Amino acid sequence: MLQNLKAQPADKILTLMAAYREDPRDTKVDLGVGVYKDASGNTPVMRAVKEAEKRLQKEQTTKAYVGLAGDPAFSDAMIDLVLGDTLPRDRIAAIATPGGTGAIRQALELIKLAAPDATVWLSDPTWPNHPSIIKYLGMKSKTYRYFDKESRNVDYVGMLTDLGAVLPGDVVLLHGCCHNPTGANLTMPQLDGVIKLLQDKSAVPFVDIAYQGFGDGLDADAQATRKIAAAFDNVLIAASCSKNFGIYRERTGILMAVCKDAAQQPLAQQNLAFLNRQNYSFPPDHGARVVTTILNDPKLRADWEAELEETRNGMLGLRQQLADELRRLTNSDRFDFLADHRGMFSQLGTTPELVEKLRADHGIYMVSDSRMNIAGLNEKTVPILAKAIVAAGI
Ligand code: LMR
């Protein structure tokens, strides 16, 4: 049987991780996978997470199954974090999932059950795993223009033009904040325009929010998601705790399905629980319990928010430093967009050949589409990167 297997396409982010590990140069700089690193290159366990884990270790008396949807207290805390008081709780069905990717996968499976003929619209570019999972599930998908490689800003006109072809019932995937891979985000007036168009088209928005707290702050980063949730009968929201709680390997995420009204919620909830059962039965609990403990304890929450702010401001500082350095070296404002982008990533908007040159000549690793992880930099590596960008003729 196994001899019939075919090699599967490689994921470009994971391939890059492996290549970086094998590079013997001690001057190498990893700007690949989206993992936060502090100035010493470590991905620390956040203080509040350590404390919550200590408490759990002391107080937890059982590891028995929780429930197919996960712990309701986790859902409540996450719905509050992402949506605030945007919607009545009884309009939202939710399941805990293994990470944000698990939430995306379950959302797509839910779409398959509810609207098997719907096309899922993805931004061009988007996180490579979006199209990969859609293809794997045999679903229809199309792309809409998103990024203008000249200005390195959102191609708003192109986006609206392409979304003009959305059919009723199609699903449009939007990044809640900190667009991955570009770092370019819609302004609020632009978002209003997209919402209006999608309402006119009777489309269903699907929001992927994996970086809440990494852009402009916890509430500011949730603003787009909240606006969208308030504007449609049905919205799917996949949220990840990997980045903002730094619990990547614990696989902690949630899928929320906004229902038209409270009467629609039980059926959606039952379908979500069914999907968990089919795919992995009970979702992982440890990370979810840590998150719930932090969000429901005012002291832990304040400490978590403070550390998240340090992280966010650190990334903003690196963005500004890099933009300033490139302004100085090029005597132009060509790279000012780096300071305007938000989140972990910025896309330089250059060719795979020049990205490869950065790797070969300078040991700088970024994804072939020229996405770089800003959190992979530090004050010392920013000038090295700036010089390399100029030397490569980008
Ligand atoms: C990324 O985009 O680098 C992260 O979301 C990690 C991943 O799984 O690809």
Side-chain angles (χ1 to χ4, degrees), residues 13 32-34 127 180 211 243 345 371:
I13 298 173
V33 70
W127 184 49
N180 179 6
Y211 298 90
K243 278 78 183 191
F345 307 117
R371 182 193 86 170

Side-chain angles (χ1 to χ4, degrees), residues 88-285:
R89 175 68 182 87
D90 61 8
R91 271 189 62 198
I92 305 165
I95 43 168
T97 55
T101 308
I104 289 162
R105 170 68 187 256
Q106 297 295 59
L108 291 167
E109 299 234 21
L110 192 74
I111 295 164
K112 260 188 110 167
L113 288 178
D117 294 327
T119 295
V120 182
W121 290 76
L122 302 173
S123 64
D124 177 19
T126 191
W127 184 49
N129 216 16
H130 287 148
S132 178
I133 300 175
I134 289 173
K135 187 168 171 222
Y136 179 67
L137 290 174
M139 297 172 76
K140 285 193 272 184
S141 94
K142 284 191 176 146
T143 58
Y144 58 87
R145 270 172 286 171
Y146 184 80
F147 190 57
D148 175 10
K149 281 194 175 156
E150 281 302 306
S151 66
R152 275 88 157 188
N153 216 324
V154 174
D155 178 1
Y156 184 57
V157 173
M159 180 175 182
L160 286 191
T161 307
D162 292 350
L163 290 179
V166 163
L167 295 177
D170 278 357
V171 175
V172 178
L173 199 154
L174 300 158
H175 297 222
C177 63
C178 308
H179 186 268
N180 179 6
T182 66
N185 298 290
L186 291 167
T187 61
M188 280 302 141
Q190 287 176 335
L191 178 69
D192 290 339
V194 171
I195 288 176
K196 169 90 184 45
L197 177 69
L198 298 187
Q199 283 173 329
D200 290 348
K201 296 279 166 195
S202 301
V204 178
F206 171 13
V207 182
D208 180 3
I209 176 161
Y211 298 90
Q212 188 183 355
F214 271 33
D216 291 306
L218 275 172
D219 277 321
D221 290 348
Q223 216 193 335
T225 308
R226 291 174 188 174
K227 269 194 162 198
I228 295 166
F232 294 84
D233 284 347
N234 290 159
V235 179
L236 298 174
I237 302 166
S240 169
C241 302
S242 298
K243 278 78 183 191
N244 50 9
F245 287 86
I247 51 173
Y248 305 83
R249 65 176 67 167
E250 299 299 349
R251 311 312 298 137
T252 308
I254 183 166
L255 172 61
M256 304 170 208
V258 173
C259 304
K260 184 167 180 286
D261 49 34
Q264 201 178 56
Q265 193 270 2
L267 186 60
Q269 186 63 49
Q270 196 259 343
N271 273 264
L272 288 179
F274 168 82
L275 285 174
N276 264 3
R277 184 66 168 159
Q278 303 319 301
N279 282 324
Y280 37 76
S281 205
F282 300 89
D285 179 70

Side-chain angles (χ1 to χ4, degrees), residues 9 24-25 43 55 57 62 66 79 155 162 180-181 191 209 218 244 311 328 330 334 343 354 357 366 374:
R25 289 175 284 186
T43 304
R55 283 192 202 173
Q57 215 238 344
T62 181
V66 178
I79 289 169
D155 178 1
D162 292 350
N180 179 6
L191 178 69
I209 176 161
L218 275 172
N244 50 9
T311 304
R328 198 177 60 75
T330 62
R334 276 196 305 128
L354 289 181
K357 197 167 158 52
M366 61 179 74
I374 298 292

